[in-house]
Amino acid sequence: MTVPGCIAEHHPLSAYAAIGIGGRARYFAAVASMHDLQQAASFARERQLPVYVLGRGSNVLIQDDVVQGVVVVLSGAFKEMSFQPGIGTVTTGAGVPLIKLGAALARRGYAGCAYMGVIPGSVGGAVRMNAGTGPEQEIACHLMRVRVFDPVRIEESWLEKGQLQFSYRQSILSRMPRIVLEAIFRLPDQPESVQGQALADIKALFARRRAVQPHSRQTFGSTFKNPAAEHAAGWYLERAGMKGMRCGGAMVSPEHANWIINTGCARSDEVKELIEKCQARVLEKFSIVLEREVVYVPEDMGTALNPR
Ligand SMILES: Cc1cc2nc3c(=O)[nH]c(=O)nc-3n(C[C@H](O)[C@H](O)[C@H](O)COP(=O)(O)OP(=O)(O)OC[C@H]3O[C@@H](n4cnc5c(N)ncnc54)[C@H](O)[C@@H]3O)c2cc1C
């Protein structure tokens, strides 16, 4: 099979990761339609290559060297959104930025989804990660169902919320070879009565986060999940002395100990070394195991999307 037009070879990936780190994709496809996606998946199957999907790259650490596979990013038709107020739903393509969905809901007066307006991922990535800002403020609370694509069998199907097995920053999609194409969310009950309250909620949440989190920095947000313990991950990391700790160009943010930032020239290996140091220090000092939230590409995705 010749290389289809939608596929580029040896494509640089650092621009597709919020932390600005990453090598090259052996094959890369920014797919604008189902036809493109099917072509990319057929190409991968033909060559026995895994397919990896990236959203807005806000929670990934991509390896420094060549990612051997077909890296797919959803664009075009996968960025559409429509409201069905009559039946109380909103339908979005998986490539739609979650912030755009949150803002669209708020502009229509739907309260209770402010968290969507501040998380910098795509709808597809947010479903996979069950993104959120706290209990009752996460994707699992509002999602009804998703349309998914199996890149191995090259077929589409629907998964209901119950089948997605959501838990804290996780879903069955961490273990299942499926690409989210489209999501249907239940609209919050009634538009709120106070004009502009929903938009004000997003602004307030945004302001609260800016006060404690680094901004205008290259980062993937929280490095670790909060442990099932008394305090959040950042509390333990700070008291383990990690703020400002560096490995090459990677540094634990001096503002928030659970965030790692790229100071400009960090390599993926340096970030991984720093992550391991964080885990070791917290284990040593508090006997607490910190589990990574950030997804390593391709290590954390390989088996799920590998057709072999
Ligand atoms: C500044 C900052 C603040 C953040 N704040 C929060 C926060 O408050 N709460 C929170 O939960 N997260 C937060 N994050 C992390 C991140 O935004 C979320 O995890 C987000 O849901 C990731 O979406 P993405 O599209 O960027 O996915 P990516 O980072 O591109 O990918 C993450 C995972 O999702 C998979 N994926 C992406 N698209 C699809 C798809 N269409 N189908 C199937 N799988 C897919 C990828 O394969 C990968 O395994 C923050 C990140 C940053 C940089």
Side-chain angles (χ1 to χ4, degrees):
M1 186 181 192
T2 54
V3 181
C6 65
I7 293 185
E9 294 192 61
H10 299 289
H11 194 75
L13 291 174
S14 58
Y16 296 89
I19 195 160
I21 295 173
R24 286 169 184 268
R26 177 65 186 88
Y27 297 102
F28 177 88
V31 296
S33 63
M34 272 316 293
H35 175 75
D36 284 355
L37 181 56
Q38 280 159 351
Q39 264 204 328
S42 302
F43 175 80
R45 187 161 75 176
E46 183 95 359
R47 303 205 171 194
Q48 295 237 307
L49 289 170
V51 175
Y52 304 118
V53 62
L54 288 180
R56 292 179 70 79
S58 61
N59 209 16
V60 289
L61 181 65
I62 302 172
Q63 71 181 27
D64 293 312
D65 45 7
V66 178
V67 175
Q68 295 293 349
V70 180
V71 176
V72 165
V73 171
L74 304 177
S75 67
F78 300 106
K79 289 194 158 182
E80 285 165 13
M81 170 164 54
S82 63
F83 280 77
Q84 300 82 38
I87 53 168
T89 58
V90 53
T91 304
T92 73
V96 169
L98 194 63
I99 284 180
K100 194 172 163 191
L101 172 61
L105 285 163
R107 270 198 305 276
R108 284 166 175 78
Y110 292 108
C113 297
Y115 71 97
M116 292 186 184
V118 299
I119 299 177
S122 64
V123 164
V127 172
R128 147 73 168 86
M129 302 299 299
N130 188 19
T133 53
E136 306 302 315
Q137 293 289 296
E138 57 184 18
I139 289 297
C141 302
H142 296 100
L143 187 78
M144 293 174 72
R145 64 184 67 93
V146 286
R147 185 163 61 90
V148 294
F149 178 72
D150 179 341
V152 177
R153 293 171 186 265
I154 315 197
E155 64 187 25
E156 290 172 48
S157 59
W158 285 90
L159 290 175
E160 297 296 321
K161 174 185 165 170
Q163 295 174 284
L164 286 161
Q165 297 179 15
F166 283 122
S167 58
Y168 173 49
R169 300 294 166 269
Q170 218 170 305
S171 70
I172 198 171
L173 299 171
S174 337
R175 311 179 291 278
M176 204 186 192
R178 300 290 182 277
I179 296 174
V180 179
L181 304 172
E182 182 178 62
I184 301 183
F185 294 90
R186 176 175 44 79
L187 289 171
D189 286 346
Q190 286 292 322
E192 40 77 23
S193 52
V194 184
Q195 187 87 31
Q197 185 59 50
L199 277 171
D201 289 346
I202 293 182
K203 277 192 191 144
L205 187 53
F206 208 64
R208 281 207 299 279
R209 289 160 66 93
R210 278 182 78 94
V212 291
Q213 295 173 349
H215 42 88
S216 313
R217 303 303 296 259
Q218 290 186 301
T219 176
F220 37 61
S222 294
T223 309
F224 302 102
K225 298 180 185 183
N226 288 322
E230 197 180 346
H231 301 287
W235 189 96
Y236 296 105
L237 288 159
E238 185 171 346
R239 278 147 191 87
M242 296 312 293
K243 271 188 172 179
M245 179 77 70
R246 297 182 77 121
C247 281
M251 179 171 74
V252 175
S253 163
E255 290 140 300
H256 195 306
N258 197 16
W259 288 39
I260 286 176
I261 54 180
N262 174 5
T263 61
C265 53
R267 292 171 47 83
S268 185
D269 287 347
E270 293 166 347
V271 178
K272 287 178 182 167
E273 197 184 324
L274 192 53
I275 286 175
E276 280 166 22
K277 266 192 190 155
C278 289
Q279 287 171 317
R281 286 276 186 95
V282 170
L283 184 63
E284 187 186 304
K285 197 166 162 63
F286 299 103
S287 302
I288 281 179
V289 177
L290 287 183
E291 193 189 333
R292 257 194 298 119
E293 180 172 321
V294 59
V295 176
Y296 287 177
V297 179
E299 298 95 304
D300 293 341
M301 307 155 97
T303 48
L305 293 182
N306 194 329
R308 274 173 285 195

